Amino acid sequence: MATTYSVVGKRVPRVDAVDKATGRSIYGSDIYLPGMLYCKILSSPHPHARIKKIDTSKALEVPGVKAVMTADDAPDVPYGTTGQIRDRSFMARDRVRFVGEPIAAVAAIDEDVAEYAVSLIEVEYELLPAVFDPLEAMKEGAPLVHEKIEEYVGSTGMRKGNICSLLTAERGEVEKGFAEADFVVEGTYRSQPINQGYMEPMACAAQVEPSGRVTVWTTTQGPYAIRNTLAETLNIPMNRIKVIPLEIGGGFGAKLRCSFEHFCVILSEKTGGKPVKMISTREENFTAIGPRLECVATIKTGVKKDGSITARQVHAVYDTGAYLGPGVGSGVGHSTGPYMIPNFKAESYAVYTNKVWAGSYRASGVADMVFAVESHMDEVAEKIGMDPLDFRLKNLLKEGDRSLTGEIIPSMGLKEMADAARKNSNWDSRKGEEGWGIGTAFSDWKSGTGPSTATVSLNEDGTVSILTGTVDIAGSDTSLAQIVAETIGVPFEKVVMAKKDTDSAPFNGPTGGSRVVYSAGRTVLQAAQEAKDKVLRFAADLLEASTDDLEVVNERVQVKGSPEKGRSLAEIARLSSTSKYGSIMGQAALSQLPFAPIYNQVIVEIKVDKETGMIKVLKFTQAQDLGFAINPNSVEGQMEGGAVQAIGRALYENYVFNDGKPMNPSLTTYLLPLAPDIPPMDTIMIETGSKEGAFGAKAVAEPPGFGAPAAIANALYNATGIRIRELPLSPDKVRAALKAKNNGG
Amino acid sequence: MATTYSVVGKRVPRVDAVDKATGRSIYGSDIYLPGMLYCKILSSPHPHARIKKIDTSKALEVPGVKAVMTADDAPDVPYGTTGQIRDRSFMARDRVRFVGEPIAAVAAIDEDVAEYAVSLIEVEYELLPAVFDPLEAMKEGAPLVHEKIEEYVGSTGMRKGNICSLLTAERGEVEKGFAEADFVVEGTYRSQPINQGYMEPMACAAQVEPSGRVTVWTTTQGPYAIRNTLAETLNIPMNRIKVIPLEIGGGFGAKLRCSFEHFCVILSEKTGGKPVKMISTREENFTAIGPRLECVATIKTGVKKDGSITARQVHAVYDTGAYLGPGVGSGVGHSTGPYMIPNFKAESYAVYTNKVWAGSYRASGVADMVFAVESHMDEVAEKIGMDPLDFRLKNLLKEGDRSLTGEIIPSMGLKEMADAARKNSNWDSRKGEEGWGIGTAFSDWKSGTGPSTATVSLNEDGTVSILTGTVDIAGSDTSLAQIVAETIGVPFEKVVMAKKDTDSAPFNGPTGGSRVVYSAGRTVLQAAQEAKDKVLRFAADLLEASTDDLEVVNERVQVKGSPEKGRSLAEIARLSSTSKYGSIMGQAALSQLPFAPIYNQVIVEIKVDKETGMIKVLKFTQAQDLGFAINPNSVEGQMEGGAVQAIGRALYENYVFNDGKPMNPSLTTYLLPLAPDIPPMDTIMIETGSKEGAFGAKAVAEPPGFGAPAAIANALYNATGIRIRELPLSPDKVRAALKAKNNGG
């Protein structure tokens, strides 16, 4: 960027660094209130059963037990995510549909007593036939997870059997496109169920005051979503609910929605207003809170000999588990990739099975689709004998093209990104030694928007306070403070983010979908600009100058050319607050921001141990077109963190079910990548700006989690000639494929 | 008022009623934090001494003591209230100037340990000569309380000897006025030292985080003032200090400023960030926190035979104690009363003595001046043989007159008020039986302004949240919620006040000087109007109508004449938040509001027991011109509460010093009025509106505390013919005066 900035673009330390490093940040489990009770839940051991009877009497007799609740204690209000089928209660009513579904909850004086009481609750079940594989579930005659989905409120397309949602997309004429092609290549790719792997479990506490006011402390990405769901399902007016979001030890989508907050609220009410706290076990994080489930995608692409893609058809089946989760199936929107495909048709089904409902995880369903599409791109390139990277570059989107959803692609850095990644990798100097391979994958995302509000105040000593309801997960508070400091013209240290709750900050969308720095960043910028305008207007009056003749230098408003004529920001704040202008504050509320796509490319180099089948990632080159890095530290952190998660998805992670029973709901058996699994990373930030984001910033967070699985699968093919179309690329699959290849060859 | 309102003007229950009645509100003493320490202070036993040595070593050796602090642990930054002499440290440095001045503070694991450690601190003093009476202190050669006041920062007029402030006022030519008079009457009146009598002691806690961020929980009327003083005296940037104001169990001015917060902050810092809490003893409330001290006022008035006042001269001496408190001496501004006095001259001195510094109490110094002026008005009426009420009415201010400070008196209800009070009392049907007397007093005040900010948000379920930094003492939150409900068009129950702290709400002035409902009320009104404008703009777009054609009926925006065409406020909030309009919120920051004077009249009937000298108030009629009563319950509560305090000031309360030593720093020896002392009250609200206040509201709080002392003194004269010019009108004084009169007569 040509402009010189003082604060944005700098590697400032995170505003919460000291508190976090010294253990003083307050997390959900740190909440202790006088008279607090502890909640434990009873969950279903069966994947599908009718509940004939629940007997809680023995549990209630345990000394120290203060209340037991079941679905009968809550209003019978179905809920779901906005725009989705409202297909569930928050506690099983009459029927359980997955192993781990909550059935009852106990509040007691400590966790041991609560757990003992839970063990005494007697439930009589009538077992029902169940279905676990989404393709099986789509078949005629499969056991129905929901018998009457036609009656549910809300919809997204088709409802038939276990199919609860159908998303479609079409452009051009796909049959004509295939007819024009020299080759048509087709493949089916399958991803695995995956847990978000957040370190901090769900932790919340709730207290109902005698006045009916409810306070909820919780570890969440979306305090307003929590408020919304509680208001809707418990029939409490929104402004009587105060949600205090605490520090968050990893969420990745899992903490966008209510987990156990309902139970704490109801149990608090049942105990006459005692605070009730719940910290989930690791097992509950797997079994009761939505992970991601598998996606089976069949992709057919028509291509000319010169490498131009003429058509693509996609058929995707997303397993949504027992309830329709948010945006299940919408990953299909990324099945063109960042390529111009003139003729396109896709259908994406969400299908019920008797497994835990599918939740959110880093752009839900997109990583699955990128694995399919980018594996497939290599297979198409292979077919026409073209370098996989050259093939991609030939079809890349350009400024002025239209996205699948109709937006015009603005000026962006896709080409610069691809050039930089190629240059920084060994793509053009392949080593080719035994077991070595290189592979790439592209991906796209759009900067998240949605509502954000912010207030920026100038204090009477010249410091600045920001108030937003945006939750900081990965350093966004620091970036927002940088934006405000730069805009007002004060040093970074002078800006502080106020702590938030849903009472004190107006409505904000959740922290997810790569929205905070783009969308909330733009909002705080605008609020800061309004505050600065007020500063200048008041100063103009005070200094008898026109606002145009004023500048802020060293925290002082002065007349250009006559620097001795000026007042410090502190003085201006002080004087203004008792003048007719009032206190200096600016405010902004924004929602829909313009289309600002972002792009990512990964190039991995791997070494395959042909004996064990183990893949070792040797080097990870990643480039992303992100507009402008407000805080390069945070951006690199996001990109590298995403890469680590994507490596886990590619090679290790797999949430296994056996007849609907989770087999590895623990961090000893569910394999997250460990430090030795992580290769050296080359992380390239492509800063070509953007028109709408603050200082040119676009989004960062999601795409770094997309590319690795396909890139590694492609590198595996490059190294060994074997193509694995199912995740994870585990040693057993690699060994089996090598064996089959050797037997075949 | 002609307009019909749905919410304002109604007697709605206080929003905090349930929490307060059930004991669930959180006060300063309710704060418990893990690892909390308790603070106790050592204070001076001498009214004036040099500190030669402080030895804290024995205190530090007590097991359980974690830190001991003295002035040496704090920056040597003098402070005072803005615009005043900066004449003090917050802990005695080198010298003590009053009995009760803090010298050292201890933080220990409990209060007993802390108290024991305090008793082991050894201080070596060199006693200095002291002065206690303000008139003595003004004399040449009196011991100097401060030797070098000329060097202090800040000023309000004269500094000489112990005189630290001189305020003057002048209009017309006072000598000419006296020359025109038929009679000149002069009298000297003296008020007593008085404690505010708040039930809840000072209670605060502070914690310094490793990042340097300071959180202060405290019972306060002015969280921003606390933040300001801490920032200034401890050299901490304002945005690193978060002050959380808790519920307040009475303040009346005493809780406008820092009490012991500094000590807690410094002790927390010295103990590596442990939370430190301090609850003051009742004695400390008297000896360490500023009460009001005496005022001696000499008033000379020239009057014509027809009752018109031609001139007045006032000489007032306010005792400010050891340090110059806020606005000491400014009560002189009320020495004209609500009368048109063409020629006027006043001088008002603030004088140091070796007593605790004078703080704030219900319009500091004004009640003292009203006692003088309104006693004097009766003496003047007597001189010319006129009915005291008729004499007052003859000289009353009228619309278009100019106030002493130059503002033009707007349309107001002074005349209506006087008519109503007269009609509702026995003024014109005096009973005249033995010992019975009737007396009146007028007073004036202006509606308080100063900075206020507010944000009003419409939630997605149609409820409304208000965010301001204004502290609720006497029901103002309820009134603000009513204003917002009326403005937006929702029922009262749908509006909630968010809880506040200095981080989350932008700058607000303190709750004092009758400013909240007038000034913050206007601010929330404006914020609510902005929110409503946004509602209508968005709805106009949605309903394809012009905003002028829309109306809000039953929480629904609809097209006038086509009520079926509409959307609920909830829907509008929901749809707007994801539209280009963003979330619905309005904001306002106001400061100087127009001059809106208010007036009060008291008529009391008493019975004097001539044997004991006891005065019993039989009936208390009070009328106030207050514009419009947003919540008549709150207004009556304010007016009656003020009357009770004024009766205490008139008859019972007296904070006695003997050689500078407080003689009655406890509620058993300091006589507050008790329930049997309170007469039936007739409380009349005169609602003639105002141009600038929300729905015509002006201020309420201060004037009800002004009139009783003079009205009772006048009634005493009416009953017995004795004139007592010194407060309180205690039985011993009445007996002595009766005896003197009988001896004389």
Side-chain angles (χ1 to χ4, degrees):
Chain A
M1 313 290 292
T3 325
T4 311
Y5 296 122
S6 315
V7 189
V8 297
K10 308 290 177 202
R11 293 178 180 273
V12 305
R14 282 177 64 149
V15 291
D16 52 350
V18 175
D19 286 347
K20 284 206 163 133
T22 54
R24 293 290 289 273
S25 298
I26 302 294
Y27 290 83
S29 68
D30 294 325
I31 296 297
Y32 292 97
L33 298 165
M36 189 169 247
L37 302 176
Y38 296 83
C39 171
K40 283 283 175 184
I41 58 169
L42 172 70
S43 33
S44 170
H46 304 298
H48 202 188
R50 198 175 315 282
I51 299 174
K52 295 173 73 177
K53 196 180 152 195
I54 305 178
D55 183 353
T56 61
S57 57
K58 284 186 191 151
L60 276 165
E61 281 165 15
V62 175
V65 168
K66 301 297 178 188
V68 179
M69 72 160 290
T70 65
D72 289 343
D73 293 299
D76 187 5
V77 179
Y79 81 102
T81 312
T82 313
Q84 301 290 343
I85 292 185
R86 295 163 59 124
D87 59 358
R88 66 180 118 162
S89 306
F90 59 83
M91 190 165 256
R93 196 178 286 277
D94 307 330
R95 196 186 262 222
V96 289
R97 293 190 173 87
F98 65 89
V99 173
E101 183 161 18
I103 295 171
V106 172
I109 51 165
D110 66 32
E111 287 193 327
D112 292 339
V113 171
E115 204 160 310
Y116 175 63
V118 161
S119 75
L120 299 181
I121 299 173
E122 290 167 4
V123 187
E124 224 174 281
Y125 297 100
E126 177 195 335
L127 299 191
L128 297 172
V131 63
F132 309 112
D133 181 90
L135 301 182
E136 291 298 318
M138 288 179 86
K139 289 183 183 159
E140 196 84 34
L144 290 179
V145 179
H146 293 258
E147 278 166 358
K148 299 184 177 179
I149 65 169
E150 294 77 8
E151 293 170 15
Y152 289 156
V153 182
S155 170
T156 44
M158 178 185 282
R159 296 190 212 169
K160 194 183 142 198
N162 287 313
I163 299 171
C164 54
S165 158
L166 168 61
L167 301 174
T168 57
E170 192 160 2
R171 120 186 306 174
E173 291 172 59
V174 73
E175 288 311 327
K176 202 172 134 255
F178 284 126
E180 285 166 8
D182 294 319
F183 302 98
V184 173
V185 182
E186 180 172 331
T188 295
Y189 309 86
R190 184 167 186 141
S191 61
Q192 77 276 48
I194 204 161
N195 183 275
Q196 297 90 343
Y198 42 97
M199 289 295 110
E200 183 204 20
M202 300 296 169
C204 57
Q207 181 159 27
V208 181
E209 291 175 25
S211 60
R213 179 92 80 109
V214 178
T215 305
V216 175
W217 296 258
T218 185
T219 167
T220 183
Q221 299 172 245
Y224 296 88
I226 304 273
R227 183 174 74 160
N228 202 341
T229 303
L230 291 176
E232 206 172 275
T233 55
L234 303 183
N235 201 19
I236 307 169
M238 247 178 221
N239 64 359
R240 310 270 153 187
I241 304 172
K242 172 171 172 171
V243 178
I244 303 176
L246 301 165
E247 289 294 347
I248 184 164
F252 310 113
K255 291 176 183 167
L256 282 168
R257 293 167 203 90
C258 269
S259 56
F260 304 105
E261 290 87 351
H262 315 74
F263 307 157
C264 293
V265 173
I266 291 177
L267 288 168
S268 175
E269 201 160 26
K270 279 181 80 103
T271 55
K274 296 262 183 208
V276 178
K277 176 171 172 176
M278 160 118 193
I279 303 175
S280 63
T281 62
R282 182 64 59 188
E283 181 165 344
E284 284 159 352
N285 289 351
F286 277 78
T287 58
I289 301 296
R292 290 300 300 176
L293 297 176
E294 53 263 62
C295 165
V296 184
T298 300
I299 305 181
K300 192 166 106 178
T301 299
V303 65
K304 289 195 174 167
K305 282 179 190 153
D306 70 351
S308 16
I309 297 174
T310 58
R312 173 171 293 169
Q313 186 159 12
V314 178
H315 177 277
V317 176
Y318 281 93
D319 186 347
T320 185
Y323 301 104
L324 182 58
V328 171
S330 61
V332 76
H334 293 260
S335 57
T336 59
Y339 311 112
M340 187 57 216
I341 299 181
N343 303 292
F344 177 81
K345 190 172 180 179
E347 41 196 25
S348 176
Y349 296 88
V351 181
Y352 287 134
T353 60
N354 289 110
K355 291 187 294 200
V356 55
W357 51 276
S360 297
Y361 175 42
R362 270 198 107 111
S364 310
V366 178
D368 312 67
M369 194 52 67
V370 171
F371 168 65
V373 167
E374 289 293 295
S375 294
H376 180 71
M377 286 296 281
D378 261 40
E379 294 198 66
V380 177
E382 167 87 7
K383 183 80 183 177
I384 57 171
M386 201 165 169
D387 175 272
L389 185 45
D390 291 335
F391 169 57
R392 285 175 171 84
L393 294 176
K394 180 163 183 71
N395 290 285
L396 274 195
L397 283 168
K398 289 183 299 296
E399 184 178 349
D401 282 347
R402 269 192 190 274
S403 78
L404 194 52
T405 40
E407 298 100 339
I408 291 175
I409 303 293
S411 158
M412 43 74 185
L414 185 47
K415 182 69 173 51
E416 289 84 343
M417 176 191 89
D419 290 346
R422 185 172 200 147
K423 198 174 132 227
N424 279 272
S425 73
N426 292 306
W427 191 269
D428 292 316
S429 61
R430 309 196 181 193
K431 294 187 200 155
E433 68 181 50
E434 181 59 21
W436 183 92
I438 193 165
T440 191
F442 281 63
S443 58
D444 66 319
W445 185 248
K446 61 178 196 176
S447 305
T449 65
S452 298
T453 61
T455 300
V456 170
S457 313
L458 181 63
N459 300 311
E460 312 97 273
D461 67 349
T463 58
V464 175
S465 299
I466 312 174
L467 182 66
T468 84
T470 299
V471 168
D472 180 11
I473 300 181
S476 57
D477 274 2
T478 307
S479 301
L480 298 181
Q482 286 177 275
I483 290 169
V484 170
E486 186 74 51
T487 306
I488 305 245
V490 296
F492 174 66
E493 298 70 30
K494 294 260 170 139
V495 178
V496 156
M497 296 293 292
K499 292 285 171 193
K500 313 131 192 195
D501 60 60
T502 54
D503 265 16
S504 61
F507 186 81
N508 268 264
T511 297
S514 310
R515 64 176 291 280
V516 176
V517 172
Y518 179 60
S519 195
R522 172 83 207 171
T523 311
V524 299
L525 176 82
Q526 202 164 305
Q529 277 168 338
E530 191 181 307
K532 189 173 182 179
D533 287 348
K534 288 188 183 173
V535 165
L536 294 179
R537 264 206 307 280
F538 176 71
D541 211 6
L542 204 64
L543 302 171
E544 296 176 348
S546 133
T547 52
D548 296 338
D549 295 337
L550 297 176
E551 58 183 356
V552 179
V553 177
N554 291 334
E555 303 171 61
R556 203 163 162 277
V557 183
Q558 59 190 40
V559 179
K560 287 176 193 161
S562 311
E564 75 293 346
K565 219 181 146 191
R567 294 285 194 140
S568 73
L569 288 171
E571 281 175 292
I572 285 174
R574 213 155 42 230
L575 294 171
S576 178
S577 78
T578 53
S579 78
K580 70 177 159 56
Y581 293 85
S583 299
I584 302 279
M585 55 193 295
Q587 192 182 53
L590 297 181
S591 186
Q592 301 293 34
L593 290 187
F595 179 61
I598 54 174
Y599 302 98
N600 180 288
Q601 184 185 0
V602 161
I603 298 179
V604 296
E605 296 172 46
I606 63 167
K607 182 158 169 54
V608 186
D609 182 326
K610 291 189 178 169
E611 230 163 292
T612 60
M614 297 242 323
I615 296 172
K616 168 98 186 149
V617 183
L618 302 172
K619 192 184 172 200
F620 198 100
T621 304
Q622 185 183 191
Q624 185 160 320
D625 166 34
L626 43 77
F628 175 65
I630 299 288
N631 186 348
N633 280 354
S634 296
V635 171
E636 284 173 358
Q638 284 270 16
M639 289 177 69
E640 292 173 3
V644 169
Q645 290 188 309
I647 290 170
R649 185 191 286 270
L651 298 177
Y652 313 111
E653 298 183 43
N654 193 12
Y655 182 20
V656 182
F657 294 83
N658 192 351
D659 280 344
K661 192 170 160 46
M663 301 308 289
N664 54 346
S666 93
L667 293 186
T668 45
T669 51
Y670 180 85
L671 304 176
L672 290 169
L674 303 174
D677 302 323
I678 307 308
M681 290 198 183
D682 193 1
T683 301
I684 304 161
M685 298 176 277
I686 303 297
E687 296 181 285
T688 51
S690 82
K691 248 173 59 191
E692 292 293 332
F695 302 99
K698 296 192 286 193
V700 176
E702 308 292 9
F706 296 159
I712 294 175
N714 293 339
L716 176 65
Y717 184 83
N718 178 247
T720 63
I722 61 170
R723 168 66 57 191
I724 297 181
R725 298 188 183 84
E726 187 172 335
L727 289 175
L729 307 168
S730 54
D732 56 329
K733 285 203 201 95
V734 173
R735 276 201 315 275
L738 284 168
K739 197 170 158 195
K741 186 183 173 226
N742 291 339
N743 291 350
Chain B
M1 312 291 291
T3 325
T4 312
Y5 296 122
S6 313
V7 189
V8 297
K10 308 290 177 200
R11 294 179 180 271
V12 303
R14 281 176 65 148
V15 291
D16 52 349
V18 175
D19 286 348
K20 284 207 162 133
T22 55
R24 294 290 288 274
S25 297
I26 302 294
Y27 290 83
S29 67
D30 295 326
I31 295 297
Y32 292 97
L33 297 165
M36 190 168 243
L37 302 175
Y38 296 82
C39 171
K40 284 282 175 187
I41 58 169
L42 172 70
S43 31
S44 169
H46 303 297
H48 201 187
R50 200 175 312 282
I51 298 174
K52 295 174 71 178
K53 195 178 152 197
I54 305 177
D55 183 353
T56 61
S57 57
K58 285 186 190 151
L60 276 164
E61 280 165 17
V62 175
V65 167
K66 300 298 179 188
V68 179
M69 71 161 289
T70 65
D72 288 343
D73 293 299
D76 187 5
V77 178
Y79 81 102
T81 311
T82 313
Q84 301 290 342
I85 291 186
R86 294 163 59 123
D87 58 0
R88 66 180 117 162
S89 306
F90 59 83
M91 190 165 254
R93 195 179 286 278
D94 307 330
R95 197 188 261 222
V96 288
R97 294 189 173 88
F98 66 89
V99 172
E101 183 162 16
I103 294 171
V106 171
I109 51 165
D110 66 33
E111 287 192 328
D112 292 339
V113 172
E115 205 161 307
Y116 175 63
V118 161
S119 74
L120 298 181
I121 298 174
E122 289 167 4
V123 187
E124 224 175 282
Y125 298 100
E126 177 195 335
L127 300 190
L128 297 172
V131 63
F132 309 112
D133 181 274
L135 302 183
E136 292 298 320
M138 287 177 87
K139 289 182 183 159
E140 196 85 32
L144 290 179
V145 180
H146 294 259
E147 278 167 356
K148 299 184 177 179
I149 65 169
E150 294 76 9
E151 292 170 17
Y152 289 157
V153 182
S155 169
T156 45
M158 178 186 279
R159 295 190 211 169
K160 194 183 143 199
N162 286 312
I163 298 172
C164 53
S165 159
L166 167 61
L167 301 174
T168 57
E170 192 159 4
R171 117 187 307 176
E173 290 172 59
V174 73
E175 288 311 328
K176 202 172 134 253
F178 283 127
E180 286 166 8
D182 295 317
F183 301 98
V184 173
V185 183
E186 181 173 330
T188 294
Y189 309 85
R190 184 168 186 139
S191 62
Q192 77 275 48
I194 204 160
N195 183 274
Q196 298 89 345
Y198 43 98
M199 289 296 109
E200 183 203 20
M202 300 296 168
C204 58
Q207 182 160 28
V208 180
E209 291 175 27
S211 60
R213 179 93 79 109
V214 178
T215 304
V216 174
W217 296 259
T218 184
T219 168
T220 183
Q221 298 172 243
Y224 295 88
I226 304 273
R227 183 175 73 161
N228 202 341
T229 304
L230 291 177
E232 207 172 273
T233 55
L234 303 183
N235 202 17
I236 306 169
M238 249 180 218
N239 65 358
R240 310 272 154 185
I241 304 172
K242 172 173 172 170
V243 178
I244 304 176
L246 302 164
E247 290 294 347
I248 184 164
F252 310 113
K255 293 176 181 164
L256 282 167
R257 294 168 203 90
C258 270
S259 57
F260 302 106
E261 290 86 352
H262 313 75
F263 307 157
C264 294
V265 172
I266 290 177
L267 289 168
S268 176
E269 202 160 26
K270 278 182 81 101
T271 55
K274 295 264 185 207
V276 177
K277 177 172 172 175
M278 159 117 194
I279 302 176
S280 63
T281 62
R282 183 63 58 188
E283 182 167 342
E284 284 159 353
N285 288 351
F286 277 79
T287 58
I289 301 296
R292 289 300 301 176
L293 297 177
E294 55 262 63
C295 165
V296 184
T298 300
I299 304 181
K300 191 167 110 179
T301 299
V303 65
K304 288 195 171 164
K305 282 180 190 151
D306 70 352
S308 17
I309 298 174
T310 57
R312 173 170 293 169
Q313 186 159 9
V314 179
H315 177 277
V317 176
Y318 280 91
D319 185 347
T320 186
Y323 301 103
L324 182 58
V328 170
S330 61
V332 76
H334 293 261
S335 56
T336 58
Y339 311 112
M340 188 54 217
I341 298 181
N343 303 293
F344 178 81
K345 191 170 179 180
E347 41 196 26
S348 177
Y349 296 87
V351 181
Y352 287 133
T353 60
N354 288 109
K355 291 186 294 199
V356 56
W357 52 276
S360 297
Y361 174 43
R362 272 198 106 113
S364 309
V366 178
D368 311 68
M369 194 51 68
V370 171
F371 168 65
V373 167
E374 289 292 294
S375 294
H376 180 71
M377 285 297 279
D378 261 41
E379 294 197 67
V380 177
E382 167 88 7
K383 183 81 185 178
I384 57 172
M386 199 166 171
D387 175 273
L389 185 44
D390 290 336
F391 170 56
R392 286 175 170 84
L393 295 176
K394 180 161 183 71
N395 290 284
L396 274 195
L397 283 168
K398 289 182 299 298
E399 185 177 347
D401 282 348
R402 271 192 188 274
S403 78
L404 195 53
T405 39
E407 297 100 340
I408 292 175
I409 304 293
S411 158
M412 43 76 186
L414 185 49
K415 181 69 173 49
E416 289 84 344
M417 178 191 86
D419 292 347
R422 185 172 201 148
K423 197 172 134 229
N424 278 270
S425 74
N426 292 307
W427 191 270
D428 292 316
S429 60
R430 311 199 181 191
K431 293 186 201 155
E433 68 182 49
E434 181 57 20
W436 182 93
I438 192 164
T440 190
F442 281 61
S443 58
D444 67 320
W445 185 246
K446 62 178 196 176
S447 305
T449 64
S452 299
T453 61
T455 300
V456 169
S457 313
L458 181 63
N459 300 310
E460 312 98 272
D461 66 350
T463 59
V464 175
S465 300
I466 311 174
L467 183 65
T468 85
T470 298
V471 168
D472 181 10
I473 300 182
S476 57
D477 274 2
T478 307
S479 300
L480 299 181
Q482 286 178 275
I483 290 169
V484 169
E486 186 74 51
T487 306
I488 305 247
V490 296
F492 174 66
E493 299 70 30
K494 294 260 169 139
V495 178
V496 158
M497 295 294 291
K499 292 284 171 191
K500 312 130 194 198
D501 60 59
T502 54
D503 265 14
S504 61
F507 186 82
N508 268 265
T511 296
S514 310
R515 63 174 292 278
V516 176
V517 171
Y518 178 60
S519 193
R522 173 81 206 174
T523 311
V524 299
L525 175 81
Q526 201 164 307
Q529 277 167 339
E530 190 181 307
K532 188 173 183 181
D533 287 348
K534 288 190 184 173
V535 165
L536 294 179
R537 264 206 308 280
F538 176 72
D541 211 6
L542 204 65
L543 302 171
E544 296 174 349
S546 134
T547 52
D548 296 338
D549 296 336
L550 296 176
E551 58 183 355
V552 179
V553 178
N554 291 333
E555 303 170 60
R556 206 165 158 277
V557 183
Q558 59 191 38
V559 178
K560 286 176 194 161
S562 311
E564 75 292 348
K565 221 181 143 190
R567 294 284 195 140
S568 73
L569 288 171
E571 280 176 292
I572 285 175
R574 210 154 45 230
L575 294 170
S576 179
S577 79
T578 54
S579 79
K580 69 175 158 63
Y581 293 85
S583 299
I584 303 279
M585 55 193 295
Q587 192 182 54
L590 297 181
S591 186
Q592 300 295 32
L593 290 186
F595 179 61
I598 54 174
Y599 301 99
N600 181 288
Q601 184 186 358
V602 162
I603 298 180
V604 296
E605 296 172 45
I606 64 165
K607 180 158 171 53
V608 185
D609 182 325
K610 290 190 181 171
E611 228 163 294
T612 61
M614 298 244 322
I615 296 172
K616 167 100 186 145
V617 182
L618 302 172
K619 191 183 172 200
F620 198 100
T621 304
Q622 184 183 192
Q624 186 160 319
D625 166 33
L626 44 76
F628 175 65
I630 299 287
N631 186 349
N633 280 354
S634 297
V635 171
E636 284 173 0
Q638 283 271 15
M639 288 178 68
E640 292 173 3
V644 169
Q645 290 188 310
I647 289 170
R649 185 191 285 271
L651 297 177
Y652 313 111
E653 299 183 43
N654 192 13
Y655 183 19
V656 182
F657 294 84
N658 193 349
D659 280 343
K661 192 169 159 48
M663 300 310 288
N664 55 345
S666 93
L667 293 186
T668 44
T669 51
Y670 180 85
L671 303 177
L672 290 170
L674 303 175
D677 303 323
I678 306 308
M681 291 200 182
D682 193 1
T683 300
I684 305 161
M685 297 175 277
I686 303 298
E687 297 181 286
T688 51
S690 81
K691 247 173 60 192
E692 290 294 332
F695 301 100
K698 297 191 286 194
V700 174
E702 307 292 9
F706 295 160
I712 295 174
N714 293 338
L716 176 65
Y717 185 83
N718 178 245
T720 62
I722 60 170
R723 169 64 58 190
I724 297 182
R725 298 187 184 83
E726 186 172 335
L727 290 176
L729 307 167
S730 52
D732 55 329
K733 284 202 202 96
V734 173
R735 275 200 318 273
L738 283 169
K739 198 170 156 194
K741 186 181 173 227
N742 291 338
N743 290 349

